[in-house]
């Protein structure tokens, strides 16, 4: 197992603080997938580092098996630790979507990932997921998404920073600059258009919690 430091280990605490309703998002994800996936289904988890959604889905559905892919060896190490009780049903692979098994999968999940990758990588990832899914299989996607026209963009950016701020945070300007440099945020209508362009159908938003949104779509 690769080693991880306190920064990666603190990921779980930070994620729970920053994402409103995270446990409920995981529960909704399992419910939506189960509408199309049988008791012994196979699920692809893209951006599996940390392992929170893997653990939640494995607890909800004892017959499912999972393939998780993530570019970070440190975060995969954390995922391995987080999901140790379900290790017999989980395989982890380092890399982007191209490193994932070819499938076919009965469903896929990509949570809290897309705001970290460029628009070009998003489309490559969506198409890669689509090609690995059986026809009609569900994809659950969730990440930061809010309007990109001013003044709404700046307002939602401030709200996002305020909600995720830890105790005593006083470097608002640095946080704002860092968010603008590190995150790739699209408007909700563009997110849905990307799913359609990648070949998904029946796209519907099922989740909104402050600056986060989630969609269900089908291959």
């Amino acid at each position: 197992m690769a080693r991880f430091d306190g920064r990666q280990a603190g990921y779980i605490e930070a994620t729970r603080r920053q994402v409103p309703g995270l446990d409920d998002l995981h529960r909704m994800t399992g419910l939506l997938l189960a509408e199309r996936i049988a008791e012994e289904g196979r699920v692809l988890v893209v951006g599996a580092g940390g392992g929170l959604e893997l653990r939640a889905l494995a607890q909800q559905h004892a017959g499912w098996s999972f393939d998780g892919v993530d570019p970070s060896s440190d975060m995969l190490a954390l995922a391995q630790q987080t999901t140790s009780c379900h290790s017999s049903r989980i395989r982890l692979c380092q890399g982007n979507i191209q490193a994932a098994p070819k499938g076919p999968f009965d469903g896929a999940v990509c949570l809290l990932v897309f705001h970290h990758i460029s628009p070009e990588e998003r489309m490559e990832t969506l198409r890669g997921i689509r090609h690995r899914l059986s026809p009609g299989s569900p994809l659950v996607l969730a990440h930061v998404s809010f309007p990109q026209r001013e003044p709404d963009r700046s307002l939602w950016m401030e709200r996002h920073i305020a909600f995720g701020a830890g105790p005593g945070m006083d470097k608002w300007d640095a946080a704002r600059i860092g968010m603008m440099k590190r995150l790739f945020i699209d408007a909700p209508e563009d997110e849905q258009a990307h799913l359609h362009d990648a070949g998904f159908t029946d796209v519907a938003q099922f989740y909104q919690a402050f600056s986060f949104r989630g969609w269900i779509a089908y291959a």
Side-chain angles (χ1 to χ4, degrees), residues 58-82:
Q59 289 172 343
Q60 292 175 40
H61 300 282
W64 290 1
S65 62
F66 304 88
D67 285 87
V69 61
D70 195 283
S72 169
S73 61
D74 288 332
M75 294 304 291
L76 285 176
L78 180 56
Q80 188 173 359
Q81 176 175 307
T82 303

Side-chain angles (χ1 to χ4, degrees), residues 4-174:
F4 58 91
D5 58 26
R7 181 174 57 87
Q8 281 81 26
Y11 167 84
I12 291 177
E13 178 183 352
T15 302
R16 290 193 182 282
R17 184 182 71 246
Q18 294 168 1
V19 184
L22 181 61
D23 290 337
D24 290 327
L25 173 60
H26 290 158
R27 182 165 176 257
M28 286 184 276
T29 296
L31 289 170
L32 290 169
L33 293 176
E35 292 177 350
R36 298 284 184 99
I37 301 178
E39 291 185 2
E40 297 183 353
R42 185 183 181 197
V43 178
L44 173 64
V45 178
V46 178
L52 290 177
E53 63 266 57
L54 275 169
R55 181 175 64 188
L57 293 172
Q59 289 172 343
Q60 292 175 40
H61 300 282
W64 290 1
S65 62
F66 304 88
D67 285 87
V69 61
D70 195 283
S72 169
S73 61
D74 288 332
M75 294 304 291
L76 285 176
L78 180 56
Q80 188 173 359
Q81 176 175 307
T82 303
T83 62
S84 59
C85 291
H86 310 284
S87 58
S88 63
R89 294 187 285 130
I90 297 173
R91 294 185 297 180
L92 299 174
C93 175
Q94 185 177 358
N96 58 19
I97 186 61
Q98 300 306 324
K102 299 302 181 183
F105 290 93
D106 302 303
V109 175
C110 187
L111 303 183
L112 313 182
V113 173
F114 270 29
H115 52 258
H116 292 296
I117 62 178
S118 69
E120 295 77 17
E121 290 178 285
R122 290 184 187 203
M123 287 308 302
E124 181 181 0
T125 300
L126 286 175
R127 293 189 177 111
I129 294 172
R130 171 66 183 81
H131 293 155
R132 287 165 170 78
L133 288 174
S134 300
S137 297
L139 164 66
V140 175
L141 182 72
H143 48 265
V144 177
S145 175
F146 50 71
Q148 292 300 291
R149 292 185 178 180
E150 296 294 0
D152 291 337
R153 179 175 181 269
S154 293
L155 175 60
W156 276 105
M157 192 172 297
E158 295 288 339
R159 289 170 172 170
H160 179 88
I161 295 170
F163 187 86
M169 179 178 173
D170 57 2
K171 298 180 180 179
W172 285 85
D173 289 340

